[in-house]
Amino acid sequence: PFRELVRDLLKYKDAETLDTAQLRALLSQSFSAEEINATLPYLANFLNLPLDEELEEKVKYLDAEGLQRRMFAAVRSLIELHAPVGGEPLVLTLEDIQWMDQASLALLEYLLPLVTRLPLLLILIYRPERDSASWRIHEKISREYQHTTVDVQLHGLAPADSHQLLLNLMPMTEWSPSIQEMILGRAEGNPLYV
């Protein structure tokens, strides 16, 4: 989800055609030459773009942890640029964080402190599954960012509401009771599944 988020911040949708020259041009619209040199190799690497010799030289001697730190800092710099103190608020939405890999969760955790100093709203959508890695993020936010957090819990539809939704979506004169029970039973009150 973060690669898509970075492309959105860069206002570049066509991931297939993006290359380092285009990334440099996009960054030059907002970053100084010094900032581009400090950010470009790591954003390019983060986006899995082929690196030219000059950029490859900057990343090839870094160990995995060092490279990850620099990529995280580059993403943070891009967010800071789009949510300057005293500027327009930036809203970032990350869905299904319960399915994020460890590196993405680490990046999310790294970015959390930005909400205390920037006009930044992070909307994190996830299932409240205590055994998922995303629950660690939930607990950290509840503990360390309680003053900036609103927790909204959505519950499943009541059986009668699920039934009405089904009839509204597929108005049929006669639903077989067994089909209705199967659909509503499998949906478990989730309107998306209905």
Side-chain angles (χ1 to χ4, degrees):
F2 282 104
R3 285 192 184 106
E4 184 178 330
L5 184 143
V6 166
R7 284 191 296 271
D8 287 347
L9 289 174
L10 292 168
K11 295 177 176 48
Y12 198 90
K13 299 289 185 195
D14 189 3
E16 300 299 316
T17 64
L18 184 64
D19 61 25
T20 53
Q22 290 168 319
L23 180 57
R24 182 184 301 273
L26 290 167
L27 292 176
S28 70
Q29 296 171 12
S30 306
F31 282 111
S32 69
E34 184 179 313
E35 291 169 322
I36 291 171
N37 288 335
T39 306
L40 179 63
Y42 312 108
L43 270 182
N45 194 280
F46 181 78
L47 293 170
N48 289 328
L49 300 179
L51 304 179
D52 60 28
E53 279 185 47
E54 176 190 350
L55 298 179
E56 181 66 37
E57 216 31 56
K58 292 185 177 191
V59 300
K60 75 178 183 182
Y61 296 112
L62 293 172
D63 63 7
E65 189 176 308
L67 180 59
Q68 184 180 56
R69 272 196 312 271
R70 301 255 179 129
M71 288 190 298
F72 285 10
V75 172
R76 183 189 63 216
S77 294
L78 193 60
I79 291 171
E80 288 170 336
L81 175 73
H82 285 82
V85 174
E88 290 292 315
L90 176 64
V91 178
L92 302 177
T93 303
L94 296 168
E95 296 183 61
D96 296 324
I97 69 168
Q98 74 275 3
W99 292 323
M100 278 186 179
D101 59 37
Q102 289 302 319
S104 296
L105 288 169
L107 177 54
L108 175 56
E109 194 168 345
Y110 176 83
L111 296 173
L112 286 176
L114 294 177
V115 301
T116 62
R117 61 182 185 83
L118 298 176
L120 174 65
L121 173 63
L122 286 177
I123 299 174
L124 306 177
I125 302 169
Y126 56 95
R127 292 182 184 169
E129 297 171 348
R130 293 179 185 269
D131 59 340
S132 75
S134 65
W135 194 254
R136 186 186 82 232
I137 298 289
H138 168 85
E139 289 177 333
K140 181 179 182 82
I141 291 169
S142 298
R143 192 175 54 251
E144 297 177 25
Y145 301 96
Q146 185 176 17
H147 62 288
T148 63
T149 301
V150 175
D151 190 12
V152 178
Q153 295 182 14
L154 301 179
H155 301 284
L157 296 175
D161 294 329
S162 292
H163 184 258
Q164 187 59 52
L165 177 60
L166 179 63
L167 293 177
N168 289 347
L169 291 172
M170 298 282 297
M172 299 178 89
T173 52
E174 291 186 35
W175 274 93
S176 155
S178 63
I179 298 220
Q180 284 183 41
E181 287 176 29
M182 179 192 68
I183 293 171
L184 297 175
R186 288 186 182 173
E188 297 177 338
N190 185 329
L192 179 64
Y193 293 146
V194 171

